[in-house]
Amino acid sequence: MRSIIFASSLTLFSAFAAYAEPKVGFDRFVVQAAHRAGPIAAGIWSPIGRATYVGQVGGNAVFEHVEAYIGAALPNEKMPLIVVSHGSGSSIDGTAWLAAGLAERGALVLVLNHPGTTTGDSSPRQTVRLSERAEDLSAALDHVLNDPYFSKHIDTNRITALGFSLGGSTVLGLAGLRLDSDAYRNYCDKFGESAQDCLFLMRGGVDFDNLPFEFSADMADARFTSFVAVDPGFTYAAIPESAAAIQNPVQLVTLGDSFPWFATDLRAEGSGLVGMLPNTEHAVIPNAFHYSFLPICTENAAQLLIEEGEDPICDNPDGWDRLTAHNASIQAIAQFLKL
């Protein structure tokens, strides 16, 4: 296991970057999945083969948008594919900054919404049905591999599953990590509402004595060749034997070097997942915390969230900069994936 601290002394984007032409393309589509009642919203970010017209992806009263050439032609080459699983309550739009940054470095980045845990539709009881989220990613991968246009541009020897928070839990399942329902119940019995994940599930009436089969199911998909899990949850329930059997490379990314969220602490002092995986790199992003992985906030977002009684997801500690944390995260992931 390698442990790396990625300093945030990266060159910041120019103040004029918002006025520059986009460097990436974006295309939306839907994925049909047998395990879902309806189609899954999806899209793919890419390097540009030929520009089209500029459009905005994401963007609302809280978060800033990302610009891209909509439906741009892909370069005439095979590229690594990264399939992204968003965190609880997020969406395609919430991962736009990350996907665009990785596409700039030469990857195709497949994004999708997870029904039941996406923006405006995020249920605690759906949150523990992890295998359904994993099936979403597998179905999205099926879609692009069977698409006559996208498939010819994909290097099938370099397919990565990347996830943040609940998405990190999802991609670790795709890698082969199994979870123990009893261990998770004991964890929540011990820490109760002081653990962020347990508190969210308790608010939804989740029965920890009867977690669904989908929580601990086998979710492995052998088509993925590497995995990136950023602040993953549920790792206190990890079955060590299943972690030890994962041979493909795994990058664990921790947001913060001084006080990581209790629920996402992977160190020996926490869940200990870092020490369980035989082929892993642990990247630490300093001057960051869990919310640092969310999009850049608009100027009035913090006050708007206070007025609406929402969580302070746009409050950054004094002296910290979310854009710097974004750049450091993209740098760490791109280095691991050799982009």
Side-chain angles (χ1 to χ4, degrees), residues 29 31 40-44 83-86 90-93 95 109-115 118 132-141:
F29 48 87
V31 170
I40 299 172
I44 196 162
V83 187
V84 176
S85 180
H86 65 70
S90 190
S91 67
I92 290 172
D93 295 342
T95 60
V109 186
L110 175 59
V111 295
L112 62 148
N113 287 349
H114 289 289
T118 193
E132 292 181 345
R133 290 180 119 253
E135 288 182 79
D136 293 341
L137 297 180
S138 294
L141 180 56

Side-chain angles (χ1 to χ4, degrees), residues 131-246:
S131 68
E132 292 181 345
R133 290 180 119 253
E135 288 182 79
D136 293 341
L137 297 180
S138 294
L141 180 56
D142 289 339
H143 180 92
V144 293
L145 290 178
N146 290 322
D147 183 283
Y149 183 69
F150 290 127
S151 61
K152 64 185 179 183
H153 294 287
I154 296 171
D155 181 350
T156 55
N157 293 314
R158 298 181 67 189
I159 300 178
T160 299
L162 185 161
F164 164 59
S165 194
L166 182 59
S169 313
T170 305
V171 303
L172 289 173
L174 287 169
L177 187 70
R178 300 288 299 272
L179 302 180
D180 183 330
S181 297
D182 291 339
Y184 192 69
R185 178 200 60 215
N186 294 340
Y187 157 75
C188 286
D189 283 347
K190 180 178 180 180
F191 295 105
E193 295 187 3
S194 64
Q196 297 88 344
D197 50 343
C198 301
L199 173 60
F200 176 69
L201 299 178
M202 288 174 183
R203 287 173 171 169
V206 171
D207 182 356
F208 295 101
D209 289 321
N210 294 287
L211 290 174
F213 165 79
E214 290 84 358
F215 179 79
S216 53
D218 182 355
M219 312 172 208
D221 187 332
R223 295 174 297 177
F224 291 96
T225 59
S226 60
F227 304 87
V228 178
V230 182
D231 264 9
F234 294 137
T235 60
Y236 287 81
I239 298 174
E241 293 80 7
S242 70
I246 297 173

Side-chain angles (χ1 to χ4, degrees), residues 51-129:
T52 52
Y53 64 94
V54 177
Q56 296 180 354
V57 182
N60 52 38
V62 175
F63 295 128
E64 294 185 358
H65 68 266
V66 177
E67 292 189 342
Y69 287 109
I70 304 302
L74 302 183
N76 187 25
E77 60 187 80
K78 287 188 178 292
M79 292 163 279
L81 175 68
I82 303 170
V83 187
V84 176
S85 180
H86 65 70
S88 175
S90 190
S91 67
I92 290 172
D93 295 342
T95 60
W97 67 269
L98 172 67
L102 295 172
E104 275 192 43
R105 287 156 177 79
L108 297 172
V109 186
L110 175 59
V111 295
L112 62 148
N113 287 349
H114 289 289
T117 57
T118 193
T119 305
D121 176 29
S122 187
S123 162
R125 293 184 300 280
Q126 293 296 318
T127 295
V128 292
R129 301 176 70 89

Side-chain angles (χ1 to χ4, degrees), residues 6 8 13 63-64 87 90 93-99 164-165 230-231 253-261 264 284-297 305 311-330 333:
F6 280 82
S8 297
F13 292 131
F63 295 128
E64 294 185 358
S90 190
D93 295 342
T95 60
W97 67 269
L98 172 67
F164 164 59
S165 194
V230 182
D231 264 9
V253 180
T254 292
L255 300 170
D257 58 345
S258 55
F259 45 90
W261 270 31
T264 57
V284 177
I285 309 300
N287 295 339
F289 70 132
H290 201 65
Y291 292 147
S292 299
F293 217 70
L294 300 182
I296 302 297
C297 293
L305 291 168
D311 291 337
I313 58 175
C314 288
D315 291 358
N316 296 312
D318 290 342
W320 291 13
D321 178 86
R322 189 167 293 193
L323 181 57
T324 303
H326 282 185
N327 289 343
S329 299
I330 292 171
I333 294 167

